[in-house]
């Protein structure tokens, strides 16, 4: 078998990269180790409107709910309401969503091989285990879209992402106070260094957390979370699905080597402020697909991918990492002060106007223009000081 471009991993990043390689004239193969697309699911499925636009699909049967805002709870229990003017995000069924994206890639001309695991790279060939049989496939360019485990990056000798958060979640019946609002829980008791959530859809919710610190396993914090007074009043006790997974943060120094490029979680293209990877992965995958097709025709150097994706999202990722590191080190007392500061009149309007889950730097810039600039600088100063 001979292909111009082989994409390993049929998650959102692999689907978009293979679609764009095929769209740009490359004979493209998409490889997935599982027997079906989109499972097992390791996601809360909360994506912005911009993510849907970036994935070039409109609302479909995969949309389970539409979100207009969030209730954020400080460790001390203060509630901050972030109210969007219209729909800000969707709760999606990742299985259906991933299938829709892969379907579009196939429609564009990519071939798909399921039950096929990437095993290694050998001089312009990839070796795979396909339905139990070892095969070699020729590919001029290989795109590793194989998620957090990143076996393509390892085989190519590319460095790993800088850090990994550990996430845990379950799905359960839930009596949401407002089913159009996500709930965010902060505090070292529930999610040290990051945050916990309840994302409602219909009469259910995905309840979980990601942690960046703390010496206990994620399950311990999940058990603490369900005792939170807000959650305890809405969650009735049974669970329908469990998810455990890692979230990579901080792109490695290099994502291209020889004829290999990495994209999506495999390249750490994940928002450090939220742990969301669908939007950034799609932005970068489209670049990867196009560069791969052109590099296979020797019209472009494969290294252009590194330059192009970093110029598209590198600044936002770097700023997000600074915000992630600084907020992640705040004590519960500092977090209480921070949330109470955001709750002041004027501030919440600013959040409503400029809050963008894909680009937190836009909001930060606007907040720094406000009358309370010095207090914000002092609070951020507390956060930044904890970094060093
Ligand atoms: C608990 C949790 C909650 C999350 N919630 C959100 C959220 O609400 N919103 C959001 O945007 N993001 C969220 N994320 C992150 C999001 O799930 C990922 O960023 C996203 O799935 C990355 O897409 P990807 O295509 O890069 O990788 P993946 O979706 O991981 O896809 C990689 C694919 O590669 C395949 N694969 C791996 N190795 C091989 C191999 N050797 N051979 C062949 N195939 C292989 C896998 O089977 C998989 O299908 C969450 C993550 C976790 C853990």
């Amino acid at each position: 078998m001979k292909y111009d471009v082989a994409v390993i991993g049929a998650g959102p990043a692999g689907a978009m990269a293979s679609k764009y390689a095929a769209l740009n004239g490359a004979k493209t193969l998409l490889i997935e180790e599982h027997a079906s697309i989109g499972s097992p699911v390791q996601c809360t499925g909360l994506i912005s409107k911009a993510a849907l636009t970036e994935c070039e699909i409109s609302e479909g049967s995969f949309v389970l709910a539409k979100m207009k805002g969030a209730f954020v709870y400080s460790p001390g229990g203060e509630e901050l309401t972030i109210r969007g003017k219209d729909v800000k995000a969707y709760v999606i069924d990742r299985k259906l969503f991933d299938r829709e994206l892969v379907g579009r890639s196939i429609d564009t001309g990519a071939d798909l091989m399921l039950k096929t695991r990437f095993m290694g790279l050998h001089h312009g060939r990839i070796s795979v285990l396909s339905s139990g049989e070892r095969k070699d496939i020729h590919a001029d360019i290989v795109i590793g879209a194989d998620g957090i485990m990143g076996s393509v990056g390892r085989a190519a000798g590319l460095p790993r992402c800088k850090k990994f958060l550990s996430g845990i979640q379950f799905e359960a019946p839930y009596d949401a106070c407002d089913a159009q609002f996500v709930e965010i829980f902060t505090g070292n008791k529930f999610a040290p260094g990051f945050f916990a959530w309840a994302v409602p859809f219909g009469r259910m919710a995905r309840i979980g957390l990601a942690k960046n610190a703390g010496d206990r396993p994620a399950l311990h914090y999940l058990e603490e979370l369900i005792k939170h007074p807000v959650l305890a009043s809405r969650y009735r006790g049974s669970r329908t699905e469990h998810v455990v997974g890692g979230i990579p943060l901080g792109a490695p120094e290099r994502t291209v080597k020889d004829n290999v490029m990495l994209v999506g979680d495999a390249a750490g293209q994940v928002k450090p402020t939220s742990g969301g990877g669908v939007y950034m992965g799609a932005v970068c995958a489209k670049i990867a697909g196009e560069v791969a097709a052109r590099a296979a025709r020797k019209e472009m150097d494969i290294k252009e991918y590194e330059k192009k994706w970093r110029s598209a999202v590198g600044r936002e990722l770097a700023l997000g990492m600074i915000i992630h590191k600084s907020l992640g080190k705040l004590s519960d007392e500092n977090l209480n002060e921070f949330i109470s500061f955001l709750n002041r009149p004027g501030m919440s309007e600013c959040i409503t106007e400029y809050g963008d889950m894909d680009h937190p730097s836009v909001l930060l810039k606007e907040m720094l223009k406000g009358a309370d600039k010095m207090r914000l600088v002092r609070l951020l100063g507390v956060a930044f000081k904890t970094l060093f």
Side-chain angles (χ1 to χ4, degrees), residues 267-280:
Q269 290 156 347
V270 174
K271 286 173 284 176
T273 42
S274 68
V278 173
Y279 170 75
M280 289 258 174

Side-chain angles (χ1 to χ4, degrees), residues 9 12-13 32-34 42-46 94 118 146 151 265 277-278:
E32 169 56 46
E33 66 176 336
H34 290 106
Q42 288 182 323
C43 190
T44 310
L46 186 70
R94 265 295 298 269
F118 165 87
D146 50 346
S151 46
D265 272 20
V278 173

Side-chain angles (χ1 to χ4, degrees), residues 221-292:
Y221 298 99
L222 190 66
E223 296 305 329
E224 287 300 319
L225 177 65
I226 59 177
K227 292 184 216 151
H228 188 288
V230 169
L231 259 171
S233 67
R234 293 172 193 164
Y235 163 55
R236 279 173 272 128
S238 53
R239 300 178 188 188
T240 53
E241 191 174 78
H242 261 274
V243 168
V244 181
I247 300 174
L249 295 188
E253 298 79 50
R254 291 174 64 198
T255 57
V256 172
K257 190 176 171 195
D258 305 326
N259 68 331
V260 174
M261 47 173 88
L262 304 181
V263 72
D265 272 20
Q269 290 156 347
V270 174
K271 286 173 284 176
T273 42
S274 68
V278 173
Y279 170 75
M280 289 258 174
V283 171
C284 300
K286 287 157 76 172
I287 300 172
E290 184 182 346
V291 172

